[in-house]
Amino acid sequence: MIITSIGTSPLMRLGLLEGFRKVGFETEYFPFRLWSQLDEETGKELLIKDFKKIKTDFLIHGGYAPKYFSILPEICKEKGVAFIYWAIEDPVGYNNTLFLAEKADFVFTTTQECVSEYAKKGIKATLLTFACNPDYHKMGKYSSKYDLDLALVASHYRWEARRKGYRTILDGAIESGKRLKVWGAGWDTDIGRKTLKNQGIFEGYLPNSHLPSLCASAKIVLGIQCDDSSFTQTSMRPYEVLGCHGFHLTQKTKATTKIFKDGEHLVTAGSKEEAIEKILYYLERPQERQRIARQGQDFVYRYHTYEQRVKEIMLPQMVR
């Protein structure tokens, strides 16, 4: 059987699709650019035109989608293709992507608390959290370019929990006075530069393929979350950084402390003061960093791979 992902996300191409490939699916990647500036009619016309090139049994899309993607379930139905939607931005993006979930054949969400919200609308949703792909998320090669005390790879968003993360992790990193660089989208805007306190630490976009090397070179890889209300929703970064054998210091939330063991798989901080304290503590203790990084990698390789997600969660739903 064939499963095709639509979009430009490395998460799908190098993560979830690889999980399907490992269980025997033929996988395809349909790199349709998510042109947010397209008007709805033009977007639909392009999708219809390009979809004619696709031969597949399942089409899957994860996360953000422009409104013209509303035609996807209809196109799939006409061609006898099952449409799968993975709501990776729940709960903060729940209302913005509900239009796709309402028409999908199968719905998965990273947020357990949203399952009941979908049920109220007559939608059966299944929990599917992020994971890692050990063939890709693995120890990289050292690079002097990323030889830093602290590194943050995260886009700038304005959600409230994200802003808390800036005040906790980012401000703590800046005020620690240690060597810090930041990569991601949105930091070059006025609000992004203000968040970085105009420190000149923004490095632009980090190619996803460089993440293993960054994790092998930076002493501490920082993390910021988009939600702190859920017991299951985290960013994809903890799974990926741990898979790459990186030492990860991330924002303390219900999910980061429930899924991972603080001090064993990664380290969390709930305040700026705690972030500074832990940054200074672990920078002086390379052996402890290595121990935690090794245990974190062992943990995600054992319990949190995309092959496991497909086998244990997705396929039982898709073959019902």
Side-chain angles (χ1 to χ4, degrees):
M1 301 185 79
I2 305 173
I3 184 163
T4 301
S5 170
I6 185 168
T8 57
S9 169
L11 165 69
M12 305 300 288
R13 179 168 54 90
L14 300 169
L16 190 60
L17 278 191
E18 282 297 289
F20 276 101
R21 185 185 61 78
K22 289 177 182 179
V23 301
F25 275 72
E26 182 179 342
T27 61
E28 298 286 346
Y29 181 60
F30 177 34
F32 188 91
R33 186 82 177 270
L34 304 184
W35 296 107
S36 58
Q37 70 269 34
L38 284 180
D39 64 84
E40 190 165 348
E41 203 57 40
T42 303
K44 288 181 177 180
E45 289 175 3
L46 286 175
L47 276 176
I48 293 171
K49 177 184 176 182
D50 286 358
F51 202 83
K52 292 178 181 178
K53 308 170 189 175
I54 299 176
K55 181 180 179 182
T56 191
D57 299 293
F58 297 91
L59 181 72
I60 184 167
H61 177 65
Y64 165 79
K67 285 298 183 182
Y68 56 81
F69 263 44
S70 62
I71 201 172
L72 269 181
E74 300 171 31
I75 300 173
C76 287
K77 187 174 182 179
E78 290 175 4
K79 294 191 67 171
V81 174
F83 178 61
I84 303 169
Y85 181 61
W86 186 18
I88 64 174
E89 292 171 346
D90 282 346
V92 293
Y94 174 83
N95 290 322
N96 293 331
T97 58
L98 189 59
F99 74 97
L100 270 184
E102 288 174 331
K103 296 182 178 180
D105 295 293
F106 305 99
V107 176
F108 297 92
T109 175
T110 51
T111 305
Q112 180 63 54
E113 293 80 4
C114 283
V115 171
S116 59
E117 295 303 309
Y118 284 116
K120 292 175 184 177
K121 297 183 179 297
I123 301 169
K124 177 174 171 46
T126 303
L127 178 66
L128 180 71
T129 56
F130 296 115
C132 70
N133 171 14
D135 291 341
Y136 180 74
H137 301 113
K138 57 186 178 181
M139 174 76 84
K141 293 182 179 180
Y142 167 84
S143 169
S144 58
K145 179 180 180 180
Y146 303 126
D147 189 344
L148 301 160
D149 293 320
L150 308 167
L152 173 65
V153 183
S155 293
H156 186 280
Y157 299 114
R158 301 187 185 186
W159 294 312
E160 179 54 34
R162 195 77 163 185
R163 291 198 293 266
K164 289 180 185 177
Y166 302 149
R167 296 191 293 269
T168 299
I169 301 298
L170 185 56
D171 285 0
I174 292 172
E175 294 183 26
S176 74
K178 300 302 180 179
R179 293 175 301 144
L180 165 68
K181 295 293 181 182
V182 175
W183 290 263
W187 297 106
D188 54 350
T189 64
D190 288 342
I191 185 67
R193 284 190 290 268
K194 184 178 179 181
T195 305
L196 292 178
K197 302 183 183 298
N198 296 307
Q199 293 291 307
I201 55 179
F202 176 55
E203 293 291 298
Y205 173 76
L206 182 80
N208 192 269
S209 58
H210 288 209
L211 183 64
S213 181
L214 181 139
C215 291
S217 308
K219 294 180 177 66
I220 299 177
V221 181
L222 304 171
I224 297 175
Q225 305 300 318
C226 289
D227 172 74
D228 58 5
S229 66
S230 170
F231 283 101
T232 64
Q233 164 68 299
T234 70
S235 72
M236 64 190 78
R237 202 65 71 204
Y239 299 97
E240 295 177 347
V241 171
L242 268 55
C244 292
H245 199 272
F247 177 81
H248 196 40
L249 168 60
T250 192
Q251 180 180 353
K252 182 179 292 183
T253 66
K254 293 177 181 178
T256 55
T257 53
K258 179 179 175 61
I259 298 171
F260 306 97
K261 290 187 178 179
D262 198 338
E264 183 174 332
H265 304 137
L266 45 64
V267 175
T268 69
S271 68
K272 179 180 68 175
E273 292 72 24
E274 186 179 11
I276 294 173
E277 178 184 349
K278 290 188 174 181
I279 285 169
L280 298 178
Y281 176 88
Y282 283 105
L283 283 177
E284 293 296 320
R285 292 165 174 79
Q287 291 184 335
E288 285 197 45
R289 296 201 309 270
Q290 283 298 312
R291 173 183 61 81
I292 294 172
R294 182 180 65 255
Q295 291 172 171
Q297 185 183 55
D298 290 344
F299 176 67
V300 294
Y301 277 11
R302 178 172 295 187
Y303 299 109
H304 299 286
T305 70
Y306 281 111
E307 182 178 2
Q308 291 169 319
R309 296 287 193 266
V310 171
K311 280 182 181 178
E312 299 169 6
I313 299 173
M314 300 192 78
L315 287 184
Q317 297 297 318
M318 293 164 60
V319 300
R320 71 174 189 258

